[in-house]
Amino acid sequence: MKLLFIGDVVGSPGRKGLASVMPALREKHSPDLIVVNGENSAGGLGITEKTATEIFACGADVITLGNHSFRQRDSWEYLDRAERVIRPANYRRANPGKGHCVLEVTPADGSGPRQVGVINLIGMIGLDAARSPFDEADLILGQLEKSGVGTVIVDFHGEVTSEKVAIGWYLDGRVAAVLGTHTHVPTADGRVLPKGTGFISDVGMTGPRDSVLGVKKEQVIEKMRTNLPVRFETTTGDVWVMGAAVEIDENGLATSFTQILEPAG
Ligand SMILES: [Fe+2]
Ligand SMILES: [Fe+2]
C-alpha cells in the first residue's frame, strides 16, 4: 500500500499549489491513500467546510489538523460532522471533532482491502495538549487493534524535534508511519526506523517559502524587532508542496520512505 502525506496547507496559495502539483504527485507515487494536514487552509488559521472540500477535491482521503483546529468557530459543527477530518486526539474529549478515523483502503497492488486507521496527535511541549500523546497513542492503538485495524498512520503535530523523535521511537514497529507537522520547515531525518515505522520530524508545509512559515516576512520581522502587535497575513510567493511518500507492507509496516519537496509552478 502506498501512502502520500502532505504537510500543512497554508491559505489559498497552499490550496492552489496543492491542486496544481497533485496530478504529478499522483502520477509519480500512485498513492492508495492520501492524507493532508489542513490546519492552516483557511486564510492561514484553521479550516472551514469550503477549504476542506477543496482539499478533498485534490484527492485527499483524510484531513488532519493541529493547534489551529478550532480557529474557525463557524466550522466546529463541520468538525463534528465530517467523518474524515480529524483534530488532535489528545485535546479535550468535549472539544469539537474527533481524533482518529478508520477507512477501508484497497491498494492497487492487489493485496486486497484493509482497514487503515489515521490518528492525529499534538505535542505537550509549547503546544496545548490536554493529555500525553504517548498515553493517547497507547489508548487508541489498543482500540484499533481490537477492531482489527492493522495499518495505522500518525500525524504528530509538534513544536520541538526532541518530542517528535521520541514519539517516533515510541511507536516504532507499532504503526506504519509517524509524520511530523506544525513547524512548516521540513527536516532531513526522514527514514524507516529499525522496527518498520516510516518517520520524519517534520514534512514541512504546502505554502509560500517567500515568507516566515507562510506569513508575510516583513510583518514577522516587524513583530520580532518591535514586540508591538502586527496583523499577520498569508503571502503568495514561491509556493512548494512538501510531504512524504511511504510504502507499507501487508503487516502494516513501512518498507520505504521518500521525502517530497515540490515547487508549485
Ligand atoms: Fe501549521
Ligand atoms: Fe500547527
Side-chain angles (χ1 to χ4, degrees):
M1 187 189 101
K2 293 179 176 177
L3 163 73
L4 178 60
F5 184 91
I6 303 291
D8 309 29
V9 175
V10 181
S12 68
R15 301 198 310 272
K16 283 185 193 131
L18 183 68
S20 73
V21 168
M22 195 55 98
L25 287 181
R26 293 177 74 135
E27 176 89 27
K28 187 171 175 186
H29 298 284
S30 313
D32 302 299
L33 172 66
I34 301 175
V35 179
V36 178
N37 186 299
E39 73 144 2
N40 306 105
S41 61
L45 295 173
I47 190 162
T48 63
E49 183 163 9
K50 176 183 169 284
T51 64
T53 303
E54 265 188 56
I55 293 171
F56 282 129
C58 292
D61 299 291
V62 176
I63 298 176
T64 53
L65 297 168
N67 54 306
H68 295 304
S69 296
F70 309 131
R71 284 284 191 149
Q72 306 290 333
R73 184 174 280 263
D74 293 348
S75 301
W76 290 1
E77 165 273 328
Y78 174 67
L79 296 183
D80 283 332
R81 179 161 43 91
E83 285 179 11
R84 292 190 185 176
V85 180
I86 57 174
R87 47 79 170 165
N90 54 330
Y91 270 167
R92 286 180 171 74
R93 299 196 201 287
N95 285 158
K98 62 205 80 59
H100 74 278
C101 67
V102 175
L103 65 163
E104 186 172 280
V105 177
T106 305
D109 62 11
S111 59
R114 63 165 97 180
Q115 299 292 109
V116 179
V118 184
I119 308 175
N120 195 187
L121 292 168
I122 194 161
M124 300 199 84
I125 305 174
L127 291 167
D128 48 0
R131 294 178 301 285
S132 158
F134 294 86
D135 296 349
E136 197 71 16
D138 288 342
L139 183 77
I140 298 171
L141 287 176
Q143 292 169 1
L144 292 177
E145 199 177 334
K146 270 186 206 154
S147 48
V149 177
T151 302
V152 180
I153 315 296
V154 175
D155 173 342
F156 185 72
H157 203 75
E159 187 77 85
V160 298
T161 44
S162 57
E163 193 181 24
K164 292 172 165 190
V165 171
I167 201 124
W169 285 120
Y170 188 65
L171 296 176
D172 184 23
R174 302 167 67 194
V175 303
V178 175
L179 292 319
T181 57
H182 175 67
T183 70
H184 294 195
V185 177
T187 55
D189 59 343
R191 67 202 194 278
V192 178
L193 296 176
K195 292 181 184 169
T197 295
F199 173 79
I200 188 167
S201 292
D202 206 297
V203 294
M205 70 171 163
T206 293
R209 276 200 327 186
D210 183 27
S211 72
V212 177
L213 317 184
V215 173
K216 280 185 184 168
K217 55 186 185 290
E218 297 79 10
Q219 295 173 342
V220 176
I221 291 168
E222 189 189 339
K223 163 90 179 155
M224 289 185 174
R225 283 190 67 217
T226 64
N227 273 352
L228 293 169
V230 178
R231 191 167 172 271
F232 285 172
E233 294 162 310
T234 301
T235 185
T236 55
D238 193 23
V239 172
W240 282 55
V241 175
M242 304 178 185
V246 184
E247 287 189 74
I248 300 164
D249 67 15
E250 292 184 32
N251 299 316
L253 292 173
T255 54
S256 76
F257 182 100
T258 307
Q259 187 160 23
I260 293 168
L261 298 168
E262 200 72 37

